[in-house]
Amino acid sequence: MPGTQHERRPPARTPRWKATCSIATRTQPHTASTGRRRSYVTHLIEDGWDPRFVQEQVGHEHASTTAIYTCVSSDFRTRTLRRHLDATVAAPLQPQPGRES
């Protein structure tokens, strides 16, 4: 029955629909979710959350997988390194109870 709703001719939008379903387009949602995951992990780490907690939040079995999604700023890296170096240097300089100086 040509000209009715039961006609078996592909609609005019089929080429556009095929382009929408292409491999390149199908990977875009994954890329978007990866960006959100990176932002989430990075913000949690930079806000001081325990790395083990962050790992469990995103469902990773290994910390190395979580590290892939962590993109902290160079300022955060510098502050963290400085804090740990200062603590490492200060610890031996502290007077210890029971020892005479």
Side-chain angles (χ1 to χ4, degrees), residues 35 37-49 51 54 66-81 83:
R37 182 176 283 229
R38 270 200 183 149
S39 293
Y40 180 67
V41 168
T42 299
H43 287 300
L44 287 177
I45 293 293
E46 286 187 347
D47 287 344
W49 288 91
V54 176
T66 307
I68 293 169
Y69 288 95
T70 307
C71 303
V72 295
S73 66
S74 60
D75 181 51
F76 176 79
R77 282 192 298 259
T78 302
R79 284 184 286 127
T80 303
L81 181 60
R83 188 174 67 243

Side-chain angles (χ1 to χ4, degrees), residues 6-58:
H6 300 290
E7 188 175 15
R8 294 290 178 193
R9 189 178 70 211
R13 66 179 182 260
T14 300
R16 198 173 44 215
W17 178 77
K18 285 182 182 176
T20 302
C21 295
S22 71
I23 301 271
T25 306
R26 279 188 283 155
T27 59
Q28 190 174 6
H30 172 71
T31 305
S33 66
T34 300
R36 283 190 299 273
R37 182 176 283 229
R38 270 200 183 149
S39 293
Y40 180 67
V41 168
T42 299
H43 287 300
L44 287 177
I45 293 293
E46 286 187 347
D47 287 344
W49 288 91
D50 181 55
R52 179 68 182 163
F53 170 79
V54 176
Q55 178 184 342
E56 290 174 3
Q57 281 290 297
V58 291

